[in-house]
Amino acid sequence: TGTVVNWQSADNAAFTVGVATIPLSNSATLTSAQMGGLLSTKYFRATISNGICTAYSNVVTISIGAITTYSGGIWDNGDPDSSTIAVFDDDFSSSGDITACGVFVQSGDVLFNTGDSLIVTNAVNSTGGTLTFDNNASLVQVNDVANVGNISYVRTTTPVRRYDFTYWSSPVAPQTLVALSPLTLSD
């Protein structure tokens, strides 16, 4: 018994490879945000102290399913599907829809062309490259989860005249039209 001092992660269950202390993790629970993006199986344990002795909790294993990485113009583990994590590690230009369990953009310029969709069950992590959706291309997320990084959209509209509206996305609370376009008349 004691209090949690911190949590640790490692690349093996014996905690001899890739051991890292997770910052600001001195509570009884470890959040997914503290775990970070996982691209391989990771092991976690809590460091517990009663002021005199230090011990470790049982090791918890977080297993990752299939991963396929796009690099050099090919997917190294076959095309992604709804049970696969798709990792972009090179420039990519879509030629149809892509479906994945999760997406990591690690490097390169990733472009979804007009009419193509990225259909992802969980989060998109775009911190190492660029992710852009061309006009009429879509990002479809099955689960309501937060993404990490920047995602860009290119949208084309016919000329807008007075009193015209063009809708480019679903409503975003608490956005108002006047905040987006301060010179637009209220009527």
Side-chain angles (χ1 to χ4, degrees):
T1 61
T3 59
V4 174
V5 176
N6 60 43
W7 285 81
Q8 296 177 329
S9 66
D11 295 333
N12 66 347
F15 273 77
T16 58
V17 177
V19 178
T21 298
I22 299 170
L24 305 173
S25 61
N26 60 345
S27 68
T29 56
L30 187 64
T31 68
S32 59
Q34 290 170 312
M35 288 181 195
L38 301 176
L39 289 175
S40 63
T41 298
K42 281 285 195 185
Y43 303 87
F44 296 90
R45 70 180 181 188
T47 305
I48 303 165
S49 176
N50 65 3
I52 299 170
C53 297
T54 299
Y56 299 102
S57 69
N58 292 334
V59 174
V60 175
T61 305
I62 306 293
S63 296
I64 301 300
I67 297 173
T68 188
T69 302
Y70 185 84
S71 182
I74 61 167
W75 292 100
D76 70 350
N77 198 18
D79 290 345
D81 61 31
S82 62
S83 65
T84 308
I85 294 173
V87 178
F88 293 92
D89 214 7
D90 202 349
D91 291 346
F92 174 86
S93 182
S94 69
S95 60
D97 294 349
I98 297 282
T99 301
C101 175
V103 172
F104 287 83
V105 178
Q106 295 186 152
S107 66
D109 295 323
V110 177
L111 172 66
F112 280 82
N113 291 300
T114 298
D116 293 344
S117 295
L118 172 59
I119 304 159
V120 61
T121 305
N122 295 301
V124 174
N125 185 315
S126 177
T127 57
T130 64
L131 177 57
T132 304
F133 293 88
D134 210 351
N135 189 50
N136 294 326
S138 299
L139 169 61
V140 178
Q141 283 185 271
V142 177
N143 294 328
D144 184 15
V145 293
N147 295 322
V148 177
N150 294 323
I151 300 172
S152 299
Y153 292 86
V154 176
R155 295 298 185 239
T156 305
T157 184
T158 56
V160 178
R161 296 178 310 221
R162 189 174 187 164
Y163 303 114
D164 283 353
F165 285 92
T166 297
Y167 294 96
W168 286 329
S169 73
S170 56
V172 179
Q175 185 66 48
T176 61
L177 185 59
V178 70
L180 178 69
S181 178
L183 298 178
T184 299
L185 299 174
S186 62
D187 61 350

